[in-house]
Structures are given as structure tokens and as C-alpha cells.
Amino acid sequence: PVTCDKTNLMLCSANFSFAFLSPFFTPILFLLLWGSFDFIVYHYANDNILTYTKEGGIIENIAHFGYILLIATLLLVCEDYKDKIKSWGIYLFLALIAFLREAGIHHYLSKTDTTPFKSRFFLNPNNPLGEKIIYGCLLIIILCAVLYIAIKYIKHLITSFFKLNTVTFSIATMCSIGVISKLVDRFPANYRKSHGVALDENLYELMQLMEESSEMFLPYLAILILVQYHLINAKK
């Protein structure tokens, strides 16, 4: 009986490992969790979805917790990365920036504007030149970090995608969700601009829920990628 129990446990562990490291695990898991979360909120929000999506709401707090876990995970798996400055260091830097951005720190940086990270801030003559230089340099640093990672891995990501690489599929899922969430975020404003009227209130609330909830999952997807990469490296 003991041997049987151990055998079953080993089989279960092997099956879970196989599923977890499948290239389709991340996209399927995301769709299930995202769809379930939005369904629950939409049907049980008592016609007040915006209380969940507003700043300081439940969705934002879940995202904040996710970024804290992401930073902690990066610290735990740092030994997976031999180049601490050009790879792991950049990931940690971008995770910190994403966390601060999600926490809304950009709203408190400028004395004269709501945020220093939009084109209107640099075009507005009322904003101090010193702030424009400081935040312009910060944006350049962030852009260079992102471009460095993109250029370094773009060839590998493209070729490995068609080889059904697990980590590549997970990265593609996370990046696609990030892009789609931004498109959904801009849709109400673009609709008003092109049609001259505001989007239907119910549709607007639904789109806000879809956008905020998809962004909420980004740090958790990043954690999933780090864990998958760690386990794959451990098998080598």
C-alpha cells in the first residue's frame, strides 16, 4: 500500500509537471481565470462594476499584490540568470517600474500636471523644463531597457514560438494581453472622438472591467513564466 501511494503521488506529480510545462498551459489557464473572474464580477457587482475597477478598488489591490509577489519571485530565482545586469537586473527594474506605475506614483511626480509620462506633459509650456528633462530621461532609460530585451530575444522568440516552446508561448500570451488591454482602454475615448457621443454606459463598464482585470493578471503571468523557466532549467 505504501509503495502504491508513493507511485500514485509520483504519477500525479509527473502529470502536473507535464501539464504545467505545456506550451498551452498559460493561455488556457488565463482564459479560464480571466473569463471566470469577469463573469463573477459582472453578474454579482450589483450594477456597480466601477467600484471594482476604480483606483483603490479590489482589482487594483489584487494587481498590487501580484507585483509584490513578482518582485519577490525575481529575488528567489535570481540564480537562474548568470548575467545579473543585462537580464535579471533589467527584469527587476521593469517590475519595480510597473509596480510603481500601477500604484499611481506618476500622479504625484509633477507639480503642474496629472502625469509626466504622456506627450501632453512635454508639449505643455506651463510644465517646468527641469521636470521635462528628468522624466524624459527616465522614459528613455525605460525604453532602452525594453528595447534591449526585445532586440536580444526577438530572434529566439520567433523561432522558438513555432517549435512550441513553453516559455515563449507564455511570454506571447502576456504581451498579447498587455497590448489588447491598452486597445480596450483607448476604445471609449476613440469612439467618442469618432462618433461624437459617449459609449453606452453598460458597454463602457464592461470594457473597463475587461481592461482592468486583464492588466490585473499581468504580474501573475510574469510569475508563471519565471517558475516555468526555473523548472525547465532545473531539468537540464
Side-chain angles (χ1 to χ4, degrees), residues 1 27 148 206 208 213 231:
Y148 175 83
L206 178 59
Q208 283 291 105
S213 62
L231 293 177

Side-chain angles (χ1 to χ4, degrees), residues 8 28 35-36 45 49 53 58 61 67 77 83 85 98 108 127 133 147 151 156 168-169 171 174 186 198 210 226 236:
N8 289 335
I28 292 174
S36 300
I49 294 176
T53 60
I58 293 175
N61 289 329
Y67 281 108
V77 301
D83 191 342
I85 301 300
Y108 305 98
N127 293 327
I133 294 174
L147 286 176
I151 293 171
H156 169 73
T168 300
F169 260 65
I171 292 173
M174 183 181 69
R186 295 303 306 163
M210 293 173 61
L226 292 173
K236 292 180 179 180

Side-chain angles (χ1 to χ4, degrees), residues 11 85 101 118 144 166 205 235:
L11 286 173
I85 301 300
R101 168 65 176 80
K118 289 189 176 181
C144 288
T166 297
E205 289 187 352
K235 288 185 175 183

Side-chain angles (χ1 to χ4, degrees), residues 3-97:
T3 304
C4 182
D5 289 343
K6 286 184 177 180
T7 302
N8 289 335
L9 184 61
M10 291 176 63
L11 286 173
C12 290
S13 177
N15 289 333
F16 176 77
S17 178
F18 176 79
F20 184 75
L21 296 180
S22 165
F24 306 107
F25 179 83
T26 299
I28 292 174
L29 179 66
F30 167 74
L31 290 174
L32 288 174
L33 293 178
W34 183 50
S36 300
F37 182 87
D38 283 6
F39 177 82
I40 292 171
V41 172
Y42 184 77
H43 285 278
Y44 297 100
N46 297 322
D47 298 324
N48 200 6
I49 294 176
L50 296 182
T51 59
Y52 291 81
T53 60
K54 67 180 182 180
E55 288 191 13
I58 293 175
I59 291 178
E60 188 176 79
N61 289 329
I62 295 175
H64 291 171
F65 182 68
Y67 281 108
I68 294 173
L69 284 180
L70 173 59
I71 293 169
T73 304
L74 277 166
L75 296 174
L76 288 173
V77 301
C78 65
E79 294 302 322
D80 291 344
Y81 304 88
K82 296 179 180 179
D83 191 342
K84 293 295 189 294
I85 301 300
K86 294 183 179 180
S87 56
W88 180 84
I90 293 178
Y91 299 147
L92 182 61
F93 169 71
L94 293 176
L96 288 168
I97 292 296

Side-chain angles (χ1 to χ4, degrees), residues 131-188:
E131 288 189 359
K132 291 181 180 180
I133 294 174
I134 292 173
Y135 299 127
C137 289
L138 179 58
L139 281 176
I140 291 173
I141 292 172
I142 296 172
L143 179 61
C144 288
V146 173
L147 286 176
Y148 175 83
I149 294 297
I151 293 171
K152 183 178 180 179
Y153 294 110
I154 186 65
K155 183 178 179 180
H156 169 73
L157 291 175
I158 292 174
T159 56
S160 61
F161 180 85
F162 294 102
K163 296 178 181 179
L164 301 182
N165 181 280
T166 297
V167 174
T168 300
F169 260 65
S170 297
I171 292 173
T173 300
M174 183 181 69
C175 293
S176 298
I177 294 164
V179 171
I180 292 172
S181 68
K182 289 304 176 185
L183 293 176
V184 174
D185 181 41
R186 295 303 306 163
F187 182 80

Side-chain angles (χ1 to χ4, degrees), residues 109-130:
L109 294 177
S110 175
K111 297 178 181 179
T112 56
D113 211 330
T114 56
T115 175
F117 297 129
K118 289 189 176 181
S119 58
R120 68 166 184 262
F121 171 80
F122 297 98
L123 297 175
N124 189 344
N126 296 322
N127 293 327
L129 178 61

